[in-house]
Structures are given as structure tokens and as C-alpha cells.
């Protein structure tokens, strides 16, 4: 009897035992994934789904399925980067120092909604929203306070900002200049991913074409002047949080990435000059192995497209490096302490998937911004993972797993099928304009809700294991005085700055917006002159127009 | 025959996180209600005006930005000014329990947090609207 014959017999025998056993029980399932998964994976699935050399390979080697670096966490642990910001710049500065003193290794700025939408804190439309979802930054003066006593050559800073990203980058560069830190030494990331705003998060201001131009301007400026800065963080996080599936998150994010590459090449940049400065940002959701497979597939797809399709020669251009945030949308208001456990599993998936940096959500973020205590527990969750569990010692420990390799391939195939569909629609921007992504995601999120309501998916404490009596936890309250204080500061600024210099600098921004030259130098001058975010955005709106999407559901 | 329940689903303020608003709009529609969705970035004035013009029974505000203590009272005031107090103002989002209680006290209806089954919201609206229709009529 041959080995494979013996193997077939053993498998059939197992299948008979399995079928008999499952026929006897009716299991309440939880994850919603049981229909698309086999109960068991074996060597056959591995062989069918991956070639050991060309699909799996070694870490630090094309196609990077096993990791972008040869030494991974043995060389350097992931960066523990907690997204944080609330109230005034001074409040947030205090929280940053609190986190840095407790071992956090990178900063990540959360801006409030007026800032994200390009409004100053004293704009009538900002009322009630100042300092709530993040920190209020209306000018260089606020940015100076935000990083007061934090030497920018020693931290890396991520800024989650999109439509007005170029302006906030200019504020940051101006702070560095005041601290005497050369731009060449600055490390950090600008989210600056406008495409996923049209697709998912909806914080857009201008129409797609001028928005893409602003992205390319920052890419080109950073390539020349801020070489250690990631000019764009191509983000799947918001797509997933909006309700997409894992495959959609993967596919839409990488499609956005390709669109930026195409736009930069179209603007005359060489792929190997800018591609190493691109980075990515993904969600770590509940379906543990699927998430790990998603991260592994993302690296492989990106490497293949960059080398084969865009002809990148520099291996750094092939690398997909990413930040991970645990899934905010998976946090539940019911029995909120359970969220600590959800976050820990999701963080583990991010690490087993080879993330370069990680944000772990705080348990109370489903109710409000985190308290100092819950923020600390979230950070400690990462430290326990890094220092106690041993998972950082072995690179890609799930590589070669029958199951993980099979779903990694499934993720890749699913994404490729979407790329084809997007191409047929004429590319990412036409697909946005036709509402393609939006519809796909809306359908997925409605399906998810219906599965929950039908208890095909069990969420602990919500539609299973429910407790009648809520046990309230302490939450952070944003003081209403934040808005008053911000207004006062802005009034003071507007009265005491050099008005002629502000006007000159805004005229120069308008000129650059009009004549197509890179906007960054004029934005830097405007920052130095203490022109406000709202004033600069107003100029852009006048020059570029505003974007509106149809209201559908 | 009874008139169908009409609902205005809104995203007030600057926030663009419209997943919840769209899911609830679809769920209410599938439950047989007539749903109007305003789209993003509606001011309280636009919402109150649309509610009166569309002759709705219910307004649902979806707020994830923390601005609920500003936006709910403002819409409520505008409804009073328009003499449209029969309209049920309800909603949901990231809203702490204390704030929900404070808003209920001033006349806002039930508010629903993350993890609420759609059926619960449908039932609440079905139970609440007939009471208000008799008062209003």
C-alpha cells in the first residue's frame, strides 16, 4: 500500500467518524464562519494552495508572506503606538507624556472632528465637537503646545488626518523647525489616504482629482525633504470598521494603494523613489485565523504587484509594512470589561500576522474616549503579549500551517477577483463615483447585523450570555470649557499675529493651488505665519470646490 | 388602513461614520416603514425643517462624535418652535448612560447603544408612534 493510499484511507475514516459525531449534536455557532470553512485542513490543502518556494518562502524575502524583515521581532519588537488625543493640545500633551513614561514607543495623534474636517475650533459648525473625538488643532500655536517638551527627533509620530493632511504636516514640520530638529531626522506617518474617505469614513472635503493631487504633492515633498517619513498610510481600518468583510478590506485597501502608485507615476515620479515611503494600516478583527491570513496575503499581493506590474526594482518598494489597530467596532457596550479580552485576541492576531506597529483599543471606547486607567490597561495588554507570551520569539509561527496557508491563498484569490472588478469599472475613482465600494460594504454590514439578530453570530453579552443589570464603568468626560478655551486662544492668536504676513502666505497657497506647483512650501510658510487650518482650507475649497455624495442606503 | 410609519434617519454634525445610520435605515425599511435618509453633515435646522416637510413620525439621529449633548437638545428645541412636538426624537450611537438619562429627561426618546438588535428599535418605534399620533391629531 502506498503512503498516499494509506493517507486517503485515514482521511476517509476520520470523515466518517466526524460525520457521525456532528450528526448527533446541534451546535449553536458563533463566528459566522463555519459555512465557509472545512472542519479540518491537511497536507492536501497545503499542496493545493501554496508552493513552498514561490508562495511561502522566507521572511525578508520576496514575496514576504512570512514577514517584511529577516529578523522580525527578534530584531525589533513592534512599535506600541496608542492612538490618542482629546480636549486641548495641553490635555493631550499630558496624556502623551503619561504614555511615553509608561513605555509607549511611538505617538499617534487623534484629532477632533472639526480639525479632521478642516474647521477652526471657533467655526459655528464646530460647536459641540471641539476636543471630543480627539485633540483640537487649529494652528501652529496648538501644535506647539501638543509637542511641548517632547523632542521630535526622538519619537516617531503618526497623524491620523486625511483631507487637510498636507496642512497638518506643515504644522508639524514647523514645530520641528522651532525645536531645531532638521526635517531629515523626523520619523512618522501621515495617514493622508483620501480614497478610503470616499469609500468608507466620509471625511472628504474636495473632489477626488484635487484631493489626489494633494496626496501626490506630499509624497513628492517627503521624498525630497522628509525621507524618513511615511507620506501615506493606505488604510483598510476604516473600510473594515464601516462593515466590510476581511477580503473586501484587503482588496479595497490594496486597490487604493495601486491607485496612489499610478497617480505618482502619472505625476512623473519614479516608482522606486516613492514606494518605500508608503505604509499600510489594517484592522484586527475577531475571526482570528482569517485576520492572520489577511496580513500574510497583503504582503504577498503587494510584493507581486509592485514587482511584476509596476516594475519596481528596489526590494524596499516591494515591502508592505503596516500598522494594526484592534477592531473598535467589535467593542461592546454591554459588559465592557469583556472588551479587554477581545482586544488581547485581536492584538495577538496582529502580531502573528507580523505587524510593524500596534494600537490596542481601550475597553471603554465603545462608550467614550478612554480614561487614563483603561488606556494603561490597553498598553499593558501589548506589553504582556510582547514580554510574557513568547510569541515574539519565532518568526511567522503559523507559516506552513495547512489551514493558514489555505486561507491565505483564499484571501489572495478573493482580492484578485475584486481587482478585476474594479478594473472593469475603470479604476478606483470611477468605482467610487459609481458607488461600487459603498454598496459592497453596506451589503456586508447589513448582512452582519442580520446574522447577529438571527443569532447566527453570537456576541458575548449582547445576543448571548446577556446580563440584565448593567455594571457601569467610569468613563472620561470632556469638559465643556475646552471649547471656550480654544475659542479664547484663537481670538488671541488672530489679534496678535502679523496680519499682512498671514494674507501674503494665504495668497501664495492660492497661487500654488492654481498653478499646479507643489503646495507644501507655501503651506509651510502659512504655518509659520500662524495662518489657521480653517483659513487655509477655505482657500482650497474656493480653488478646488467641495465634494458631496448622494444620500443612499 | 393605517398610514405607514415615516422615519427620518439623520447624521447630524461633522461625523461621517454612517454605518449605523445606513444599517438602521435599511432595517426600518425592511420592517415596512417609510424611511428618508438625510445624508451626511446635517445641521439641526436642516433636520427639523426636513422632518416637518416630510411629515415624519420619527426622527432618528445617529451620533458617534460625542456631540449628542449639543445636537439632541437643539433639534428638540427647533421641533418645539415648529410646533411639531408629536414627532418622536430618538437615536443612537456612542452615548454614555448618564447622558442618555439626561436627554430622556428633557423629552428625547429612547437612545440605543452599540449591540442593540434591530428588532428592539423597530418594536420601540411601533409602540411609541401610535401614542403620539393620537396626541398630535
Amino acid at each position: 500500500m502506498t503512503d498516499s493510499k494509506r493517507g486517503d484511507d485515514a482521511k476517509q475514516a476520520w470523515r466518517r467518524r466526524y460525520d457521525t459525531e456532528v450528526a448527533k449534536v446541534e451546535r449553536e455557532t458563533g463566528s459566522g464562519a463555519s459555512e465557509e470553512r472545512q472542519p479540518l485542513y491537511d497536507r492536501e490543502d497545503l499542496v493545493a494552495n501554496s508552493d513552498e518556494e514561490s508562495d511561502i518562502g522566507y521572511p525578508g524575502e520576496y514575496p514576504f508572506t512570512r514577514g517584511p524583515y529577516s529578523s522580525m521581532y527578534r530584531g525589533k519588537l513592534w512599535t506600541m503606538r496608542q492612538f490618542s488625543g482629546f480636549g486641548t493640545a495641553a490635555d493631550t500633551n499630558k496624556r502623551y507624556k503619561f504614555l511615553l513614561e509608561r513605555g509607549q514607543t511611538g505617538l499617534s495623534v487623534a484629532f477632533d472632528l472639526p480639525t479632521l474636517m478642516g474647521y477652526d475650533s471657533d467655526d459655528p459648525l464646530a460647536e459641540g465637537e471641539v476636543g471630543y473625538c480627539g485633540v483640537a488643532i487649529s494652528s501652529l500655536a496648538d501644535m506647539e503646545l501638543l509637542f511641548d517638551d517632547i523632542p521630535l527627533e526622538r519619537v516617531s509620530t503618526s497623524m491620523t488626518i486625511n483631507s487637510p493632511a498636507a496642512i497638518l504636516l506643515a504644522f508639524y514640520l514647523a514645530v520641528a523647525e522651532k525645536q531645531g530638529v532638521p526635517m531629515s531626522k523626523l520619523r512618522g506617518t501621515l495617514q493622508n489616504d483620501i480614497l478610503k474617505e470616499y469609500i468608507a469614513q466620509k471625511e472628504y472635503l474636495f473632489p477626488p482629482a484635487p484631493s489626489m493631487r494633494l496626496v501626490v504633492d506630499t509624497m513628492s515633498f517627503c521624498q525630497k525633504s522628509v525621507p524618513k517619513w511615511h507620506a501615506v498610510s493606505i488604510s483598510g481600518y476604516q473600510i473594515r470598521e464601516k462593515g466590510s468583510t476581511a477580503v473586501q478590506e484587503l482588496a479595497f485597501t490594496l486597490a487604493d494603494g495601486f491607485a496612489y502608485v499610478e497617480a505618482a507615476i502619472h505625476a512623473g515620479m519614479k516608482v522606486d523613489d516613492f514606494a518605500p515611503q508608503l505604509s499600510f494600516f489594517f484592522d484586527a478583527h475577531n475571526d482570528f485565523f482569517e485576520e492572520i491570513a489577511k496580513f500574510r496575503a497583503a504582503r504577498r499581493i503587494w510584493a507581486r504587484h509592485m514587482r511584476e506590474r509596476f516594475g519596481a526594482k528596489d526590494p524596499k518598494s516591494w515591502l508592505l509594512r503596516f500598522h494594526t489597530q484592534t477592531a473598535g467596532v467589535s467593542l461592546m457596550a454591554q459588559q465592557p470589561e469583556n472588551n479587554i479580552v477581545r482586544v488581547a485576541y485581536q492584538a495577538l492576531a496582529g502580531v502573528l500576522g507580523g505587524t510593524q506597529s500596534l494600537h490596542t483599543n481601550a475597553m471603554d471606547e465603545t462608550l467614550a474616549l478612554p480614561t487614563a486607567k483603561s488606556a494603561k490597561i490597553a498598553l499593558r495588554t501589548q506589553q504582556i503579549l510582547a514580554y510574557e507570551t513568547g510569541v515574539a520569539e519565532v518568526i511567522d509561527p503559523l507559516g506552513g500551517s495547512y489551514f493558514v496557508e489555505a486561507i491565505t491563498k483564499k484571501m489572495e484569490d478573493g482580492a484578485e477577483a475584486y481587482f478585476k472588478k474594479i478594473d472593469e469599472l475603470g479604476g478606483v475613482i470611477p468605482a467610487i463615483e459609481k458607488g461600487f465600494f459603498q454598496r459592497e460594504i453596506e451589503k456586508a454590514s447589513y448582512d452582519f447585523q442580520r446574522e447577529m439578530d438571527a443569532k447566527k453570530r453570537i456576541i458575548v453579552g449582547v445576543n448571548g450570555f446577556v446580563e440584565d443589570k448593567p455594571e457601569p464603568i467610569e468613563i472620561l468626560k470632556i469638559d465643556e470649557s475646552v471649547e471656550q478655551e480654544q475659542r479664547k486662544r484663537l481670538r488671541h492668536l488672530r489679534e496678535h499675529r502679523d496680519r499682512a504676513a498671514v494674507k501674503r502666505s494665504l495668497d501664495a497657497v492660492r497661487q500654488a493651488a492654481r498653478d499646479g506647483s507643489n503646495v507644501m512650501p507655501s503651506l509651510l510658510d502659512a504655518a509659520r505665519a500662524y495662518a489657521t487650518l480653517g483659513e487655509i482650507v477655505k482657500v482650497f475649497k474656493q480653488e478646488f470646490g467641495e465634494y458631496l455624495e448622494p444620500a443612499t442606503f | 388602513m393605517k398610514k405607514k410609519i415615516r422615519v427620518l434617519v439623520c447624521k447630524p454634525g461633522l461625523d461621517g461614520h454612517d454605518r449605523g445610520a445606513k444599517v438602521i435605515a435599511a432595517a426600518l425599511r425592511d420592517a415596512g416603514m417609510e424611511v428618508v435618509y438625510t445624508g451626511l453633515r446635517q445641521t439641526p435646522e436642516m433636520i427639523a425643517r426636513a422632518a416637518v416637510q416630510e411629515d415624519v413620525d420619527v426622527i432618528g439621529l445617529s451620533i458617534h462624535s460625542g456631540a449628542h449633548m449639543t445636537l439632541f437638545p437643539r433639534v428638540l428645541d427647533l421641533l418645539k418652535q415648529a410646533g411639531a412636538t408629536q414627532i418622536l426624537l430618538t437615536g443612537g450611537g456612542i452615548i454614555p448612560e448618564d447622558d442618555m438619562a439626561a436627554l430622556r429627561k428633557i423629552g428625547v426618546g429612547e437612545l440605543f447603544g452599540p449591540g442593540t438588535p434591530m428588532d428592539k428599535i423597530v418594536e420601540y418605534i411601533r409602540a411609541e408612534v401610535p401614542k403620539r399620533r393620537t396626541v398630535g391629531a
Side-chain angles (χ1 to χ4, degrees), chain A residues 331-349:
Chain A
L331 302 179
M332 291 297 148
Q334 297 78 359
Q335 306 173 34
E337 287 97 338
N338 294 346
N339 292 328
I340 299 175
V341 183
R342 292 190 177 101
V343 167
Y345 287 132
Q346 294 163 0
L348 179 60

Side-chain angles (χ1 to χ4, degrees), chain A residues 474-490:
Chain A
E474 198 187 319
I475 56 169
L476 181 83
K477 292 261 178 202
I478 303 295
D479 203 326
E480 280 162 30
S481 68
V482 167
E483 195 159 316
Q484 303 312 321
E485 203 180 312
Q486 268 297 104
R487 279 177 200 217
K488 220 164 64 193
R489 280 171 50 72
L490 266 170

Side-chain angles (χ1 to χ4, degrees), chain A residues 507-547:
Chain A
D507 288 345
V509 169
R510 187 183 304 278
Q511 189 54 38
R514 255 180 219 177
D515 68 21
S517 57
N518 195 311
V519 293
M520 280 310 298
S522 64
L523 288 180
L524 250 173
D525 282 336
R528 291 180 187 120
Y530 293 93
T532 66
L533 170 68
E535 290 163 346
I536 301 170
V537 165
K538 199 169 144 202
V539 170
F540 280 160
K541 280 184 180 168
Q542 286 163 352
E543 296 303 316
F544 297 151
E546 290 182 61
Y547 184 78

Side-chain angles (χ1 to χ4, degrees), chain A residues 63-79:
Chain A
F64 306 100
T65 310
R66 307 203 65 186
Y69 302 120
S70 304
S71 62
M72 289 303 287
Y73 306 138
R74 282 260 177 156
K76 182 182 172 286
L77 274 177
W78 64 90
T79 303

Side-chain angles (χ1 to χ4, degrees), chain B residues 91-127:
Chain B
I94 305 295
I95 303 171
E97 184 52 50
D98 291 356
D99 291 351
M100 286 187 183
L103 290 170
R104 271 195 300 265
K105 211 171 270 174
I106 61 166
V108 174
E110 206 61 41
L111 299 175
F112 302 93
T116 308
M118 295 295 109
D119 287 352
K120 191 173 162 193
I121 301 171
V122 170
E123 280 163 27
Y124 169 71
I125 290 176
R126 280 191 184 141

